[in-house]
Amino acid sequence: MVVVVGNPANTNCLTASKMAPSIPKENFSCLTRLDHNRAKSQIALKLGLTANDVKNVIIWGNHSSTQYPDVNHAKVSIQGKEVGVYEAVKDDSWLKGDFITTVQQRGAAVIKARKLSSAMSAAKAICDHVRDIWFGTPEGEFVSMGVISDGNSYGIPDDLLYSFPVVIKNKSWKFVEGLPINDFSREKMDLTAKELSEEKETAFEFLTIA
């Protein structure tokens, strides 16, 4: 299993996969777990919970400022009951506005504040990513990983390294299928796919020149 962290992580991962055709492309993944963890933390902070009380957030697309943190299918545990995030937060404008931009721009905000990157947060996310590959995802939970888009059911073009919700069992990931996608989500998912297609085109131009 190859995990790519260095930016642009998605396109670097796709390029690495193309350069190593003897390794199955499903064995390549890139880190969007840091964004996933940040999304969970933002919801937890808003509700006065811990991040462990939040599950099934999704990061769609690129590990960049076009990524789409989606909580339409996420749940929070409040006093032993599972509640949908939209129902729990009761602030749709925040969930569709500041929440998304905060997660998208969190890395840049940390660098601006600390003059350093969030290295420990990234290290924790790498541990989470690798742990789930090794031990699998808990029953009823899914996580975000940048993986090859081939065969997805969400209208994302094939041959992109795109972050999807996945479940993992026996060290093998599968797309979470059948999640309903509303118009707001569709637009955000397509926008980040477009950026990845453009990145791929640029990267492969350089490769052919080299």
Side-chain angles (χ1 to χ4, degrees):
M1 186 63 74
V2 179
V3 181
V4 176
V5 179
N7 287 322
N10 299 58
T11 301
N12 283 347
C13 189
L14 183 65
T15 305
S17 169
K18 297 287 186 188
M19 294 296 101
S22 63
I23 302 173
K25 50 192 173 184
E26 294 78 16
N27 288 15
F28 286 83
S29 60
C30 80
L31 191 74
T32 55
R33 189 59 170 269
L34 178 53
D35 311 302
H36 180 100
N37 288 350
R38 285 168 173 163
K40 286 178 64 174
S41 296
Q42 288 299 315
I43 297 300
L45 278 169
K46 186 77 169 174
L47 294 171
L49 302 170
T50 70
N52 288 337
D53 295 319
V54 185
K55 71 176 187 180
N56 295 353
V57 304
I58 302 168
I59 303 296
W60 297 100
N62 200 1
H63 175 62
S64 75
S65 60
T66 68
Q67 66 177 261
Y68 171 43
D70 177 8
V71 292
N72 283 290
H73 314 286
K75 306 275 188 196
V76 292
S77 181
I78 300 175
Q79 296 173 342
K81 276 182 65 180
E82 275 197 0
V83 183
V85 164
Y86 268 84
E87 185 186 340
V89 171
K90 296 182 175 68
D91 187 346
D92 290 14
S93 62
W94 180 78
L95 287 169
K96 290 183 173 180
D98 285 351
F99 163 71
I100 290 173
T101 53
T102 298
V103 176
Q104 287 173 332
Q105 297 168 13
R106 185 66 180 162
V110 169
I111 290 168
K112 188 177 178 184
R114 297 183 66 232
K115 308 293 185 277
L116 295 165
S117 70
S118 51
M120 285 300 288
S121 298
K124 166 70 165 61
I126 295 164
C127 290
D128 292 344
H129 181 107
V130 173
R131 182 197 65 220
D132 284 343
I133 289 171
W134 195 255
F135 294 108
T137 45
E139 191 67 35
E141 292 190 33
F142 49 77
V143 294
S144 305
M145 279 172 56
V147 294
I148 194 69
S149 60
D150 297 6
N152 78 87
S153 61
Y154 293 104
I156 304 304
D158 285 354
D159 205 36
L160 291 179
L161 215 298
Y162 189 100
S163 182
F164 288 94
V166 299
V167 290
I168 306 165
K169 192 173 183 180
N170 299 326
K171 303 181 179 62
S172 184
W173 60 265
K174 287 183 179 173
F175 296 120
V176 175
E177 302 284 6
L179 297 175
I181 304 297
N182 60 31
D183 290 345
F184 179 84
S185 295
R186 180 78 267 157
E187 186 179 336
K188 301 278 188 195
M189 290 163 66
D190 290 346
L191 181 72
T192 192
K194 181 173 182 284
E195 182 183 58
L196 280 169
S197 295
E198 289 166 357
E199 276 188 21
K200 171 188 165 183
E201 200 175 307
T202 303
F204 287 13
E205 274 175 24
F206 280 111
L207 288 173
T208 52
I209 291 166

